[in-house]
Amino acid sequence: MSMYDGGDFMFQAVPIFIGIIFVIVISFVLFTAIKGVSQWNQNNQSPVMNVRAKVLGKRTAVKGGGESRAYNHYFITFEMESGDRMELKVKDADYGMLVEGDEGELTFQGTRYLGFERQGLKAQR
């Protein structure tokens, strides 16, 4: 038995390990793509809804950064007249135009934000 016998195991294990990592990465990419297409299709099948709502909260989430480009995602939580709450992803311009406490007509389709038309003006102090 020579000191190189253990090296044979490494030459056999490394390609298997790389293959397993490759399968995991490809599976994750496929899962994410299928989930996105499924959500897109579900939104398209949903009716366009117009409801009275109030802006409850706003938040941002940063994706990426470091060695890659960072992306900001903007979310607004709405409360409908029924008391139900829904958080929707919105564009940066819509995020900047809405303020917590704004009331108006929310238009959405499934989980897709389509717009918010403010009703009346809040009293200024």
Side-chain angles (χ1 to χ4, degrees):
M1 185 171 197
S2 74
M3 62 185 221
Y4 296 108
D5 289 342
D8 290 341
F9 174 74
M10 287 299 293
F11 285 117
Q12 293 171 356
V14 169
I16 292 171
F17 180 72
I18 291 172
I20 290 171
I21 297 298
F22 180 75
V23 168
I24 290 171
V25 169
I26 294 299
S27 298
F28 179 75
V29 168
L30 286 174
F31 173 77
T32 303
I34 290 169
K35 183 178 173 187
V37 169
S38 174
Q39 184 66 57
W40 176 80
N41 188 43
Q42 185 177 3
N43 283 341
N44 288 342
Q45 301 300 321
S46 298
V48 174
M49 303 286 292
N50 292 313
V51 296
R52 295 258 323 135
K54 179 179 183 178
V55 175
L56 279 188
K58 297 168 60 173
R59 74 176 181 92
T60 61
V62 178
K63 302 286 184 183
E67 296 288 324
S68 65
R69 180 172 178 216
Y71 294 93
N72 289 318
H73 296 278
Y74 302 93
F75 300 90
I76 297 180
T77 301
F78 296 95
E79 182 176 52
M80 279 51 104
E81 283 184 319
S82 64
D84 293 335
R85 294 179 179 186
M86 176 185 295
E87 182 178 67
L88 298 172
K89 186 176 178 180
V90 300
K91 294 179 181 169
D92 57 350
D94 293 316
Y95 183 86
M97 294 300 293
L98 296 175
V99 180
E100 289 182 23
D102 280 349
E103 295 183 21
E105 179 111 354
L106 171 65
T107 305
F108 64 97
Q109 184 179 23
T111 61
R112 185 181 297 146
Y113 171 84
L114 298 176
F116 184 81
E117 188 173 324
R118 205 176 290 118
Q119 302 291 317
L121 297 173
K122 295 191 307 184
Q124 299 203 356
R125 299 174 189 201

